[in-house]
């Protein structure tokens, strides 16, 4: 699952000593690797690291080579669309890499089939404070199979100029304030305008309402998982989502969220609930058809209908050690040098949310990063079930939400149908 930077929130201006990134005390054990004479470490990362923070990769390399003279660290970089096919092919051989980057929701299928080695969380900096959703993403059956790398959350972004036109001068802090402002904007702009552009199939947004009400996509029942979208709690969240669509989303309800920044940049909406980078993308001169959109946008923590901040899906990446690695302990050391206390400073400076609550604290106190950091505190994650990948591949949630958004099915019927589809595959490895 592709993850993008949140540099738009303004942390890119922070100055961090890059040399410090290699100074973290690596907590991974190295006795076994020394005994086996490991002389090479192969690290697979996505092009995000290659293009945006190569100096942080080098700092981690330098730190590990300093501890293991003569060690050679090799890197391969891949794009998100084809990386899993390449990984699957190499895992079937004896040429497995020692460290591999995964989108956090991709971890489940590999953990459940034994493709990744178990790691000891105590050997990694700030592991006790890992963000809840990221911790879930590396945990399977109570064991840890990876290390959170960085995160990216979701925020509300709106046109403060349009809000001001209807007498609203401050970003909403409650559901009542949000809906009141959207009501006024919708009334002023007419029914061809979307006060909130929320594509129906956007399950990341929709499931926030489900989890806000205590519902879930699926829950473990004994030794197996069962779809739970038709539970009373989940249905309540889906009803709230439908009400939002009915009142404020007046564009094509069959389209997904892929072009949301484009639509927002064209001036066809007053607000979005989306990944933090999407507002910045909309305001890019290539997308901005409004004119001066950058200065007209304001981010806010999305309030929920139940009096709390709406829990958000935390996107991001994890790092794992394949079971076939021949340098597991040194691989763990490299991961900690890259993602540990000092490494996180460098990643934050590049516009990412950190992997832990300790580093999130200062960001909440900084006006430039307060919104995404605060939003990330309340999060949810997909079911860590062996067949989750098949649920995603089958677009079960998107189909349900499109049926709800277009009125093809009632919320209850769509949720029951989705549960039936989920139950067919969710326990399949």
């Amino acid at each position: 699952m592709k993850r993008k930077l949140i540099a738009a929130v303004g942390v890119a201006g922070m100055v961090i000593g890059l040399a410090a990134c290699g100074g973290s005390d690596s907590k991974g054990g190295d006795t076994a690797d020394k005994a086996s004479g490991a002389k090479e470490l192969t690290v697979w990362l996505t092009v995000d690291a290659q293009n945006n923070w190569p100096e942080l990769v080098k700092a981690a390399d330098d730190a590990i080579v300093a501890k293991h003279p003569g060690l050679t660290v090799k890197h391969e970089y891949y794009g998100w669309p084809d990386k899993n096919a390449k990984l699957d092919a190499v895992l079937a051989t004896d040429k497995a890499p020692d460290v591999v980057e995964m989108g956090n929701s991709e971890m489940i299928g590999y953990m459940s089939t034994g493709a990744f080695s178990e790691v000891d969380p105590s050997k990694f900096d700030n592991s006790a404070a890992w963000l809840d959703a990221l911790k879930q993403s590396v945990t399977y059956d109570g064991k840890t199979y990876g290390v959170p790398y960085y995160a990216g959350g979701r925020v509300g972004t709106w046109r403060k100029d349009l809000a001001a036109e209807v007498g609203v001068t401050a970003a909403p802090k409650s559901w009542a304030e949000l809906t009141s402002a959207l009501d006024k904007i919708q009334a002023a702009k007419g029914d061809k305008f979307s006060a909130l552009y929320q594509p129906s199939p956007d399950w990341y947004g929709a499931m926030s309402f489900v989890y806000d009400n205590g519902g879930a996509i699926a829950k473990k029942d004994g030794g197996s998982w069962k779809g739970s979208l038709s539970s009373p709690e989940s249905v309540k969240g889906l009803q709230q989502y439908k009400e939002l669509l009915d009142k404020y989303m007046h564009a094509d309800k069959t389209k997904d969220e892929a072009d949301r920044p484009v639509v927002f940049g064209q001036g066809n909406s007053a607000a979005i609930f989306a990944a933090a980078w999407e507002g910045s993308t909309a305001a890019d001169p290539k997308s901005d058809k409004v004119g001066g959109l950058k200065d007209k946008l304001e981010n806010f923590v999305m309030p929920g209908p139940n009096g709390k901040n709406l829990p958000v899906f935390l996107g991001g990446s994890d790092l794992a050690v394949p079971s076939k690695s021949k340098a597991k302990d040194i691989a763990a050391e490299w991961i900690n040098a890259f993602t540990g206390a000092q490494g996180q400073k460098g990643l934050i400076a590049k516009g990412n949310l950190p992997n832990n609550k300790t580093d999130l604290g200062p960001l909440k106190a900084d006006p430039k990063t307060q919104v995404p950091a605060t939003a990330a505190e309340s999060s949810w994650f997909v079911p860590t079930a062996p067949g989750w990948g098949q649920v995603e591949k089958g677009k079960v949630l998107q189909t349900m939400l499109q049926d709800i958004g277009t009125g093809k099915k009632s919320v209850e019927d769509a949720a029951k149908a989705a549960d039936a589809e989920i139950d067919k595959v969710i326990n399949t490895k």
Side-chain angles (χ1 to χ4, degrees):
M1 184 176 299
K2 187 172 182 180
R3 304 289 168 227
K4 296 193 179 183
L5 304 180
I6 59 161
V9 302
V11 292
M14 294 171 61
V15 178
I16 302 293
L18 295 177
C21 296
S24 177
D25 290 333
S26 291
K27 296 182 180 179
D30 59 2
T31 305
D33 289 330
K34 285 180 177 177
S36 66
K39 294 295 183 182
E40 185 174 288
L41 189 75
T42 301
V43 178
W44 280 22
L45 298 171
T46 69
V47 292
D48 294 335
Q50 182 180 34
N51 296 336
N52 299 298
W53 47 86
E55 68 273 32
L56 305 185
V57 177
K58 184 178 184 302
D61 292 351
D62 291 347
I64 297 308
V65 171
K67 290 191 66 176
H68 301 277
L71 180 73
T72 299
V73 183
K74 295 184 177 180
H75 292 278
E76 291 190 31
Y77 295 94
Y78 45 76
W80 287 101
D82 59 351
K83 75 174 187 63
N84 283 7
K86 293 180 179 179
L87 179 61
D88 292 346
V90 77
L91 289 181
T93 73
D94 61 354
K95 305 290 186 182
D98 303 297
V99 177
V100 61
E101 177 181 351
M102 303 293 296
N104 57 1
S105 69
E106 296 172 338
M107 286 287 294
I108 303 164
Y110 292 84
M111 293 189 294
S112 67
T113 56
F116 295 152
S117 296
E118 185 180 354
V119 298
D120 181 355
S122 69
K123 293 181 178 180
F124 300 93
D125 293 353
N126 281 321
S127 59
W130 282 343
L131 296 177
D132 294 340
L134 298 188
K135 182 178 180 179
Q136 290 178 52
S137 75
V138 297
T139 305
Y140 184 76
D141 276 351
K143 297 179 180 180
T144 305
Y145 292 93
V147 177
Y149 172 10
Y150 67 90
R154 288 176 133 63
V155 299
T157 302
W158 77 351
R159 294 267 305 272
K160 58 185 178 181
D161 59 322
L162 296 184
E165 288 178 9
V166 296
V168 179
T169 57
K173 296 187 181 300
S174 69
W175 185 252
E177 290 180 0
L178 173 64
T179 55
S180 174
L182 293 178
D183 285 343
K184 293 175 182 177
I185 294 171
Q186 191 65 67
K189 290 293 184 179
D191 60 10
K192 295 187 182 299
F193 183 85
S194 295
L196 177 72
Y197 185 76
Q198 178 57 49
S200 301
D202 174 21
W203 63 275
Y204 300 110
M207 292 303 106
S208 289
F209 290 88
V210 168
Y211 282 88
D212 187 48
N213 284 282
I217 298 169
K219 290 187 176 181
K220 201 165 189 180
D221 182 9
S224 62
W225 289 80
K226 288 187 65 65
S228 59
L229 290 165
S230 58
S231 71
E233 297 84 0
S234 296
V235 166
K236 183 179 178 182
L238 291 171
Q239 289 281 13
Q240 291 170 342
Y241 183 69
K242 177 172 172 53
E243 290 168 8
L244 207 67
L245 297 175
D246 289 346
K247 290 180 70 175
Y248 308 122
M249 173 61 179
H250 299 290
D252 185 351
K253 290 187 172 70
T254 66
K255 292 181 63 177
D256 65 21
E257 68 275 19
D259 66 346
R260 179 165 44 202
V262 174
V263 174
F264 197 36
Q266 290 172 339
N268 296 321
S269 173
I272 57 175
F273 172 45
W277 55 265
E278 292 189 47
S280 177
T281 300
D284 186 283
K286 297 176 184 177
S287 303
D288 180 9
K289 306 303 180 185
V290 175
L293 187 57
K294 178 181 178 181
D295 296 327
K296 297 172 182 175
L297 296 184
E298 182 176 20
N299 289 346
F300 56 91
V301 179
M302 189 72 169
N306 297 312
K308 302 173 292 185
N309 293 339
L310 201 64
V312 300
F313 177 82
L314 279 186
S317 284
D318 299 323
L319 297 176
V321 179
S323 298
K324 290 187 175 181
S325 165
K326 298 178 178 64
K328 293 182 177 68
D329 293 327
I330 295 180
E333 289 185 61
W334 188 93
I335 290 173
N336 195 53
F338 189 48
T339 67
Q342 295 301 324
Q344 287 297 310
K345 291 180 181 179
L347 289 165
I348 290 168
K350 292 293 182 177
N352 301 288
L353 286 176
N355 67 2
N356 67 89
K357 296 175 184 177
T358 302
D359 289 325
L360 204 62
L363 299 185
K364 287 174 58 184
D366 186 337
K368 297 188 296 255
T369 55
Q370 182 180 34
V371 168
T374 302
E377 280 192 308
S378 178
S379 60
W380 62 270
F381 193 62
V382 299
T384 51
W388 172 251
Q390 295 187 55
V391 176
E392 277 204 50
K393 185 177 180 180
K395 296 188 176 181
V396 175
L397 300 183
Q398 291 95 322
T399 298
M400 174 190 71
L401 294 169
Q402 184 171 307
D403 287 346
I404 290 172
T406 59
K408 182 178 179 180
K409 292 181 180 178
S410 69
V411 168
E412 292 83 357
D413 288 346
K416 288 178 183 177
D419 277 349
E421 291 301 312
I422 288 171
D423 290 346
K424 290 177 183 178
V425 299
I426 197 165
N427 294 294
T428 305
K429 291 186 179 180

